[in-house]
């Protein structure tokens, strides 16, 4: 299975800040990379697919980039609703695998 | 509006059987794979497998093969995840989600999610 490693495991930021979360795959996954947001006690929400394409209704403050093995999620102008856990997922090979998650906390 | 509505929370004893459901609406249910995912308490997401409502074809992660059964009834736009003999280690939140694109196979990501079904297995 492809291993997905996210960093950092947790990050603290203030309202209005910009943060970047990294995701590294153990082998080349081209751009078959998705990002999800999970608020506490809620179901995950799909944010990005194909490394940089936003799902419908997702605000442009979320930006994905990268290809090959290294990917990033950048979130701008942090608002209270953005403080959540974020997961990356590769879907290049089966079974699809997730990173361990990055918890974004309010400073 | 696309929606996936999951059945309610369950509390079961070890050894009991269980079937939970995921009802889709607002799209062509029989054309998109449904994926099942597990989230154990305080942990991350795990991909369990997928089922194609059009013909009930199911594919499983090796980690879950033989442990669960996935099925679907396209006539009522509902997918199912079932256990024949639950263990305490099956205690988790279970989510269904739909593949982003119709058809295809295992290598796809998801767009819409159900709200989750909490399964608690305890004696």
């Amino acid at each position: 299975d492809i291993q997905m490693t996210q960093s950092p495991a947790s990050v603290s930021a203030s309202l209005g800040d910009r943060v970047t979360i990294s995701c590294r795959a153990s082998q080349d996954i081209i751009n078959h990379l998705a990002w999800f947001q999970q608020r506490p006690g809620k179901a995950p929400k799909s944010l990005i697919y194909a490394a940089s394409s936003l799902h419908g209704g997702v605000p442009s403050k979320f930006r994905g980039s990268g290809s090959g093995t290294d990917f990033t999620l950048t979130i701008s102008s942090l608002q209270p609703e953005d403080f959540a856990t974020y997961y990356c997922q590769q879907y290049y090979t089966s079974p699809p695998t997730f990173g361990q998650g990055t918890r974004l906390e309010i400073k | 509006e696309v929606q996936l509505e999951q059945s309610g929370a369950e509390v079961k004893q070890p050894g009991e059987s269980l079937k939970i459901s995921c009802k889709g609406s607002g799209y062509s249910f029989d054309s998109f794979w449904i994926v099942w995912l597990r989230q154990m308490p305080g942990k991350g997401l795990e991909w369990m497998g997928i089922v194609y409502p059009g013909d009930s074809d199911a594919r499983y992660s090796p980690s879950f093969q033989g442990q669960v059964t996935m099925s679907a009834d396209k006539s009522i736009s509902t997918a199912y995840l079932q256990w024949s003999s639950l263990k305490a280690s099956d205690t988790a939140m279970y989510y269904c989600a739909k593949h982003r694109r119709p058809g295809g196979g295992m290598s796809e990501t998801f767009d819409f999610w159900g709200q989750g079904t909490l399964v608690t297995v305890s004696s």
Side-chain angles (χ1 to χ4, degrees), chain B residues 104-123:
Chain B
M106 300 172 89
S107 295
E108 180 56 87
T109 188
F110 345 120
D111 50 10
F112 291 91
W113 295 67
Q115 82 277 20
T117 295
L118 180 62
V119 174
T120 303
V121 184
S122 174
S123 55

Side-chain angles (χ1 to χ4, degrees), chain A residues 40-60:
Chain A
K42 300 295 186 182
K45 174 185 176 182
S46 300
L47 297 176
I48 287 170
Y49 64 95
S52 61
S53 297
L54 294 179
H55 282 285
V58 175
S60 58

Side-chain angles (χ1 to χ4, degrees), chain B:
Chain B
E1 179 192 8
V2 174
Q3 289 191 326
L4 293 172
E5 186 69 27
Q6 296 187 234
S7 50
E10 301 274 2
V11 180
K12 293 288 190 179
Q13 294 190 338
E16 290 189 316
S17 63
L18 176 63
K19 192 173 190 177
I20 63 175
S21 65
C22 170
K23 182 175 176 61
S25 61
Y27 72 101
S28 180
F29 184 78
D30 57 355
S31 298
F32 292 77
W33 291 85
I34 290 289
V35 59
W36 287 97
L37 304 105
R38 182 176 77 175
Q39 188 168 39
M40 299 179 78
K43 302 298 184 182
L45 298 164
E46 299 173 90
W47 187 93
M48 301 174 70
I50 52 175
V51 59
Y52 191 68
D55 60 6
S56 286
D57 184 17
R59 320 269 178 91
Y60 300 91
S61 166
S63 298
F64 293 92
Q65 180 82 47
Q67 307 304 307
V68 296
T69 302
M70 298 174 191
S71 60
D73 185 342
K74 64 182 179 181
S75 69
I76 55 171
S77 299
T78 301
Y80 301 97
L81 175 66
Q82 68 181 84
W83 295 259
S84 59
S85 181
L86 286 160
K87 302 184 281 286
S89 58
D90 293 317
T91 295
M93 183 71 82
Y94 293 87
Y95 294 102
C96 64
K98 66 170 279 291
H99 269 189
R100 186 180 69 84
R101 293 183 297 180
M106 300 172 89
S107 295
E108 180 56 87
T109 188
F110 345 120
D111 50 10
F112 291 91
W113 295 67
Q115 82 277 20
T117 295
L118 180 62
V119 174
T120 303
V121 184
S122 174
S123 55

Side-chain angles (χ1 to χ4, degrees), chain A residues 2-101:
Chain A
I2 295 178
Q3 305 282 351
M4 304 300 292
T5 304
Q6 288 182 233
S7 61
S10 66
V11 58
S12 296
S14 301
L15 294 176
D17 282 355
R18 180 175 67 185
V19 297
T20 298
I21 298 168
S22 297
C23 177
R24 174 166 288 177
S26 60
Q27 65 186 71
D28 189 350
I29 59 170
I30 318 299
N31 71 334
H32 294 230
L33 192 283
W35 289 98
F36 304 94
Q37 175 195 65
Q38 187 174 32
R39 297 181 177 126
K42 300 295 186 182
K45 174 185 176 182
S46 300
L47 297 176
I48 287 170
Y49 64 95
S52 61
S53 297
L54 294 179
H55 282 285
V58 175
S60 58
K61 62 187 299 180
F62 293 95
R63 188 173 73 87
S65 63
S67 65
T69 61
D70 292 304
F71 302 86
T72 59
L73 172 68
T74 301
I75 312 169
S76 304
S77 303
L78 286 172
Q79 297 301 304
E81 61 269 22
D82 300 327
F83 292 90
T85 299
Y86 293 85
Y87 295 94
C88 63
Q89 178 225 3
Q90 69 80 19
Y91 53 99
Y92 182 63
T93 64
S94 181
T97 46
F98 292 85
Q100 79 279 16

